[in-house]
Amino acid sequence: MVNYGGDEVSALVLDFGTSSLRAGYAGDDTPKAIIPTSFGFIEEPAEANGGDVTMGEAGATEGEQPQASKPKVKLYIGQNGPSLWRSGMQIGNPMQDSLIQNFDAIPPLISHALSEVMRCNASEHPVLVTEAAWNSPANRERMAEIMFEEFQVPAFYIANTGVLNAFAAGKGSALVIDVGHSTASVIPVVDGFVLRKGLMHCALPQLVHAHAKHLLTSPTPTRQGIQLIPHQLIASRTPVDAGVPPRFTLREDRRAGTTDSWRAWAENREVEEWIQSIGGVLPQGWNDSAATSQGSRHYEFPTGYNNYFTGVERYAVGEQYFAHSAQLMASNPNLPKTIPSLVTSSIGQCDLDLRQVLLGNVVLTGGGSLFAGFADRLANDMGRAFQHVKIHAPGNPTERRYGGWLGGSILASLGTFHQLWISKEEWQEHGRAIVGQRCK
Amino acid sequence: MAASAADVRSILSLPNAPGTGPPTQAKKPQAAERAKKPEGIPRELYALIGPSIPTMAAQFAKPRLKQKPNIGGGGNVKWEWRPFRNGARTDDLRLSHWVKSSVDPEADYPFAKYNVQTTPYVYSQDEYNRFLEDSNWTKEETDYLFNLVREYDGRFLVVHDRYEYPGGTERPLEDLKDRYFSICRKLVRNRPWPGDEASKAALISTLTFDKDKETLRKQYVASLVNRTPEQIAEEDALYLELERLKENERRFKKDRDELLRTLCGIESGLPDIAVDDDGLAGTTLDTKKKRKAVAGSVEPQTPVTPSASSVIALPQPQPKKSSAKSAAYDALHCIVRTEVEQTAGSSTKAAHVPVHLRTFKMAQPKAAVAPRVSQVVGEVGISATRIVMPTRDNLAKFASVIDAAQQLVEIKKAVDKHEQDIRTTRARLAILRGENPEGEGEALETPMDVEEGEAEGDVEGRGQSVMSTRSARSRKQGRRSMSVSSVDTANGPNKRQKQR
């Protein structure tokens, strides 16, 4: 055991993302619980107890914590939370800009992951939580407070996803390129510390998403705008040929109970699914003929509408990560920076002596980077801009998507790490200040 | 041996039939026999073959397997979920982990030993006032810097990243390092040092930081990094061009050397003559013959002329001119270069001067006068054939001595000649005045003898050598001084003939 420095104290690792919350035991290679961060909620005006019906419908795995805040709300969390249609259910997401904005929903989410999915008691395990590199001190202190006060954890630590991604790749110093669900960031890590001056992040994935949605819903010369109606709202459909307007019937009974936020969430899911299924990035840069030669792919929407999407359509989506078209730039001056320009500005902020260290240890991570051809394109673009670039991009999708959790799992199972935990005793003695002192 | 009833019983593990005395008695030796039975042979088979064929035993022996490794030290290892105290922590946190129950619960946490703290440098207000003042830094900012360095364990890159002194200016990394290390150096120098001076100097040398040098270095790095792609491309192109030129030059030189070697052979002065000696000698002979043929033939142009003319047209390899630099080098290293004689036009091996000992090139008197010269130098106590210490200088002196002796001998000879002439003329004069003419020949002979005799008288014990000297002289044509005497001797008979 001592040989590899591991000493497991059955710590728990919690990794918050915009898309999902990952939880598991330190020392494992995959999180035990992966639940969507988005949650459904129904505001209950009074003591009206309609929960029983929904409870039965949602099943046993559904976490249900009545909020203590003013308007009483019922939360629907987990795999059967937002994805099940419920009358009047709205969708919320505590994350914004990869930071936790709405702490009200955090305890139920954690509780669901730990108690309902992992079936463990948080008060028996030290807990390591991840945070974005640009997290505010107030946010991390709030998180510590939640863990200590609500979950009674014996020890707590909050670590940076950038650093953890570097650790997951086995590196102490690295340039971490993290493409997540809502944010793309470039984080220079040196000796396990984030260089804040070189930290760059922007909402590029949201732009890609919006672009794809626009592409699908707006009519083109060859097709009408596509209706992004989720399957939950469709009663029946009949098969149609490719490109032909779909024939389906809506569930009229659900029309009234569908909230806007749920509708938006469901539509975004459709878009996301489409992107993930047939989107891609051209490895050698944008080139119309190359895009065309990639061929078209078939995709069918829940309405039954199906079509062959040409190479240009498919690859234009991923191209947004690396280059913006001139007309888009002209129409929107505040576009988020592309990945190459993020990397360039990040490297430019770092010390010259570090440049080679960082460029030789580029770590590509995050679910967004699983786009077909993304790693190749990044290697090509960076190879053109810099010399001696070496990119570490795990081929295993789990490692790529949950790199932050994996790094936390490694860190929290190290024997030498256990001196860094903030114990409950220290928390009570020093209060919030201890978080900033210990977790640098 | 057939199986007995007792055997059957033992096979079926039945108790022996009671009251059967003889079988019991018979069984005893049998049991003893069985005890001797080699392992692995079935008892029945052993009973058949008896103890006579023991070589078969090995084949029937049960193969002995290697003992299984006993992982975990044998027996069941008991593991416990046990809380432990981490020595590296300041508080009382008890985390739990799985340990073998054999481990001492009171033992130190094995990972606590990795918690190595560096001893930070701290200074007092007094020390600061005395020698740490700096116009660019306030005490507060210096404190802030030292806190950060301690907090990040001296990782200056991180310190520089997190350095945000309120109200302070943006400081480059070199500034921070310079300030920190200069303070550390001053503290080490000015504090009483418990160890010896060497360790103190070693510690100070680890704390050195040359700000100007680092800044300059960083500028160089920046200029290297900030090259535009065009500049990099140009640099690459230039480098390639340079390489190409170098390669061209190398090839040109190689070709030229090759040409020289083929045409001038060894004389070209180039090392690594590839041609073997026989072939070379053959070719040179051929060219010689051809040239002779050319010279001898009536028509001046022959088919072989192209090669011949090319040989002629080829410039002779220039003798290496010793530049001032190489001369100085030679003087410093006592190198003396002998001038290699260049015989123009001849490409024979004979022109080549091989490596030789200096004594081989010792000055030799001319063969005609050699014995007398050696006699002369012998008289002054010098051996004419051997020098004890043949250094360059000694050889030069020796050569001058030999030369002087040779001249002496020749002058003496000339003087003798003239005296002889005078004597013969006088004799002739006497004859003309009234002597008989037939005595002339005698008179001619006698003075020679007299002369020889005189010479003999002058230099004792040289009589026999003089004759040989003379004969040698008449045989061989000498040079300057020789020609004088030969003219004399030649004149002699002429005169005589005329007179006759």
Side-chain angles (χ1 to χ4, degrees), chain A residues 7 194 196-197 353 421 423, chain B residues 89 91 109 161-162 217:
Chain A
D7 183 23
V194 170
R196 291 184 188 148
K197 284 179 182 141
D353 293 336
W421 293 108
S423 67
Chain B
R89 292 191 67 93
D91 66 341
Y109 184 56
D161 183 64
R162 307 288 161 94
R217 187 184 67 82

Side-chain angles (χ1 to χ4, degrees), chain B residues 37 54 62 67 88 123 141 188 190 237 317 371 382 394 403:
Chain B
K37 174 179 81 76
K62 202 186 277 174
Q67 202 176 13
Y123 47 83
E141 191 169 359
V188 172
N190 290 305
I382 300 171
N394 285 356
D403 202 37

Side-chain angles (χ1 to χ4, degrees), chain B residues 225-236:
Chain B
V225 157
N226 293 332
R227 289 174 302 173
T228 60
E230 291 79 40
Q231 281 170 325
I232 293 175
E234 192 184 339
E235 226 165 79
D236 285 353

